[in-house]
Amino acid sequence: MSNETPQVLTIAGADSSGGAGISADLKTFAAQGVYGANVFVALTAQNTLGVQDVLMTPPDMIWSQMQSIADDLAIKATKTGMLGNAETVALVAKGLQNFDFGKYVLDPVMVAKGGAKLLNPDAVAAVKSLLLPLTELVTPNMPEAEILSGQAINNRQDMQRAAKAIQKLGAKNVLLKGGHGQSSRIEDYVLLADGTDFWLASQRVLTERTHGTGDTISAAITAQLALGKTLDVAILHGKRYVDATIRDGIAVGHGHGPLNHGTKLVTQDTVEVLHDI
């Protein structure tokens, strides 16, 4: 009977206010019906108004956490979020290669919603060379995709070109999120390993309560992969779930508020799948 429950892992930082990072991942995992384990690479003093302080976890402790999980749990899928610096990126890449942590989803947390860079050039280079080739899926937003691809993104054609450039760096599959666009309609682009592609479209919800969307969609996809879903089905479910967490909002804090991870509003008709636009 041991280890029959689907188990997933998040390797990321902690958000003390509970809206993003490992907090969002674990809430999302629970909502998907899987068991979530975690490796803390950083602690943050953070709330809905911003990040006040960051403390990186010592490398030996990061490795010890990964080793402990590998020694006991049966991880079916793993995601990474904010990794902080090049040393941590390299250590996590080594862990993903040494331990059987299942399919790997990379949320390349590089740019804050306000535009601030969260990784220095050395760490970005490490993500590109060490993590991208290990991924089942990478889920950049538009600014992150610009950094990874080295290309400006201003329209759908740019999104397609950037996704292809990221795929050439070693990522098998790419979900390029379009939430940073200005349109009332959000369009995400999906490029799969076999060359097929499609778009996911949803209406933008006018709200400030969107903290942790990147963590949440990548965690939902990770959970669905652990449950045995195909990647395209997992991506669509993740998109529908994060859309519902925004639509069914909650009021927490005085600033950029979190999502409602406990929502029950996941429906079939809020997200369109488009193969030709």
Side-chain angles (χ1 to χ4, degrees), residues 22-41:
I22 283 176
S23 297
D25 292 341
L26 293 179
K27 292 172 186 177
T28 300
F29 292 158
Q32 311 304 305
V34 300
Y35 179 85
N38 48 253
V39 170
F40 285 85
V41 303

Side-chain angles (χ1 to χ4, degrees), residues 147-161:
I147 293 171
L148 289 172
S149 68
Q151 303 178 19
I153 299 176
N154 297 301
N155 53 46
R156 295 186 186 113
Q157 291 72 32
D158 290 343
M159 291 178 72
Q160 291 174 308
R161 282 191 287 267

Side-chain angles (χ1 to χ4, degrees), residues 44-127:
T44 70
Q46 183 176 172
N47 55 33
T48 65
L49 301 174
V51 178
Q52 291 79 46
D53 202 0
V54 178
L55 176 66
M56 296 300 298
T57 304
D60 287 350
M61 187 59 186
I62 295 173
W63 188 262
S64 293
Q65 291 176 81
M66 290 190 288
Q67 181 72 66
S68 292
I69 291 166
D71 285 347
D72 187 35
L73 276 62
I75 301 298
K76 298 297 185 186
T78 296
K79 67 150 288 189
T80 58
M82 190 276 285
L83 297 177
N85 56 43
E87 183 180 20
T88 300
V89 170
L91 187 64
V92 169
K94 181 181 176 182
L96 292 171
Q97 292 172 301
N98 277 265
F99 305 124
D100 182 8
F101 286 156
K103 293 180 177 179
Y104 169 45
V105 176
L106 166 60
D107 178 15
V109 181
M110 297 178 175
V111 182
K113 275 191 168 58
K117 298 285 181 65
L118 300 178
L119 286 182
N120 63 33
D122 287 347
V124 171
V127 168

